Amino acid sequence: MNVRALASRGALRKPGAFGLPAASLATVQEPRSGLHASPALPRPGSAKPMKLYWKLAKGKLTLWVSLSAMPGYFLALPGAVEPCLAAALFAGTFLTSSSAQTMNQMIEVKRDAVMKRTALRPLPSGQLSRSEAARFAAGSGLLGLGILAVGTTPATAAVAATTMVTYAAIYTPMKVRSPYNTHIGAISGSLPTLMGFTAALGTGLAVSPWLPNAMWIFALQSLWQMPHFYALAWLHRADYIQGGYNMFPLTDTTGAETAAMSKPYLAALCALPWAMSACGAASWMLPVGAALPSAVWCHTLRVFERSPSAASCRRFFLGSLSYLISLLALFTACARGEQEATQSQNEDSREILEPAWRAKMREHLLDACPHELVSRELLRTAKQTGGCPISRSF
């Protein structure tokens, strides 16, 4: 069969011969480097740009960071919830975190390119250019700081700026220099918990009755990040070693050392709710409510310790996420402040502080509260709100 006959049958069609589209040919070409070949990746003009920027911002992680800023605001706000202020806090935190995550990827682009876990991120895959990432980092950072400064308080913008600097300029370069980078990252990752308090109180937080609560949730998230990221590092240790990172779990071939390093942090986290309630900064419902998520997370650690594997470590990692969201919710519901009573002759009298929205919610839901029902119907000892451990009088 001659060439003219083949052409008449459409076998020499362009751009792909023998009936294959051009995209199919692109996928079977030999890779130019030692990396594994991957399908041709579209530029932002043909792909969905928003999806690429979501990946550049590490959207899921940034969403968690934004949520961690909210409990402090809902707890310490002096009056009714201001939707515009709350929205500004969330949006500003999201944008500044997006900027920090983008700067992190700009610094680590070469290391990301040699790691299977990160090779398809927008920068190492070539879906976005470095200049596009730089514009996004600058724009989201400046916009986020502006929203926080105008929509909340300048103090909140200052905390956000500190978070960005510590994350991009200190933590990120330290990841290849010292295994203690996780400790610095824990501090940087916990600073957003203070932003809710500063959004409600500004610089007045320093002399506010809510300062112990702010320090408590900062300590909680700092301690939590250590076993959380140890588990992540052990899961992907081969990738991190390939990328040249320096972390404690990377030398642990069995998982035993990672489990042992995580134990003290979980023990401290289990003690924190009890210490907070003993100091009067929360009702006793906090440690009671924290018992279940703490037990579940500790159980996943014991399973990982007895049978180290990728599956047991992944369950331990996922358990840390459910633990954190549970503790943030309990903190918002149970934490309270104390100050000297203003209209009392008793020098030892203390006034319990709680947000107005929580008092109003309890007032409406009091009849359905199981603690009130038990106290009122069985013990016959409750006052109007005396049976509920979340109440002001407890």
Side-chain angles (χ1 to χ4, degrees), residues 18-357:
F18 304 105
L20 290 175
S24 299
L25 289 180
T27 62
V28 298
Q29 291 176 354
E30 291 295 326
R32 298 185 213 176
S33 65
L35 297 175
H36 295 289
S38 59
L41 296 167
R43 292 287 301 165
S46 58
K48 295 181 179 179
M50 290 303 298
K51 186 176 181 180
L52 296 178
Y53 286 108
W54 173 264
K55 292 180 179 179
L56 193 63
K58 296 182 185 177
K60 293 180 180 179
L61 174 59
T62 290
L63 189 60
W64 276 87
V65 172
S66 304
L67 290 174
S68 72
M70 304 309 294
Y73 170 71
F74 287 118
L75 185 65
L77 76 171
V81 175
E82 299 181 36
C84 290
L85 196 153
L89 173 62
F90 185 88
T93 305
F94 190 92
L95 288 168
T96 52
S97 177
S98 298
S99 177
Q101 301 297 342
T102 300
M103 289 187 284
N104 167 270
Q105 291 183 68
M106 292 174 64
I107 296 170
E108 296 181 341
V109 61
K110 291 183 179 179
R111 299 182 186 278
D112 283 347
V114 299
M115 296 169 59
K116 292 181 181 179
R117 177 170 167 262
T118 57
L120 293 182
R121 284 178 176 175
L123 287 177
S125 66
Q127 296 178 88
L128 288 176
S129 68
R130 188 178 182 86
S131 61
E132 288 171 325
R135 289 194 295 269
F136 177 72
S140 59
L142 291 174
L143 180 60
L145 291 175
I147 290 174
L148 291 172
V150 176
T152 61
T153 65
T156 308
V159 176
T162 303
T163 305
M164 294 167 66
V165 170
T166 55
Y167 187 84
I170 301 177
Y171 165 66
T172 298
M174 196 175 179
K175 287 167 70 175
V176 297
R177 298 175 182 173
S178 170
Y180 290 98
N181 66 78
T182 310
H183 299 71
I184 302 300
I187 294 173
S188 178
S190 300
L191 284 173
T193 61
L194 303 180
M195 293 169 61
F197 288 94
T198 56
L201 304 170
T203 56
L205 173 63
V207 293
S208 167
W210 296 110
L211 181 61
N213 303 84
M215 294 297 99
W216 185 89
I217 195 172
F218 177 84
L220 173 83
Q221 191 142 314
S222 296
L223 291 170
W224 169 85
Q225 287 186 83
M226 302 304 294
H228 173 79
F229 283 108
Y230 282 161
L232 182 67
W234 193 81
L235 269 174
H236 301 284
R237 60 192 183 280
D239 246 1
Y240 282 120
I241 292 172
Q242 180 73 17
Y245 291 101
N246 191 353
M247 301 174 183
F248 285 116
L250 303 189
T251 58
D252 177 18
T253 58
T254 65
E257 293 179 15
T258 302
M261 286 189 296
S262 300
K263 274 186 177 180
Y265 295 104
L266 266 71
L269 288 168
C270 288
L272 269 181
W274 295 96
M276 188 177 186
S277 296
C279 295
S283 74
W284 288 103
M285 194 62 187
L286 177 63
V288 171
L292 180 59
S294 298
V296 171
W297 194 20
C298 288
H299 173 70
T300 61
L301 174 60
R302 286 194 294 270
V303 172
F304 173 53
E305 183 182 28
R306 289 196 300 264
S307 304
S309 66
S312 60
C313 187
R314 187 172 291 107
R315 284 194 293 270
F316 176 49
F317 173 80
L318 294 175
S320 70
L321 299 177
S322 61
Y323 170 87
L324 181 62
I325 197 68
S326 299
L327 266 290
L328 290 177
L330 285 166
F331 173 80
T332 308
C334 303
R336 63 192 185 189
E338 282 190 352
Q339 67 179 6
E340 294 183 4
T342 55
Q343 298 179 351
S344 175
Q345 296 179 352
N346 186 352
E347 295 182 356
D348 296 329
S349 178
R350 306 287 294 177
E351 180 183 1
I352 301 298
L353 301 176
E354 70 171 350
W357 65 267

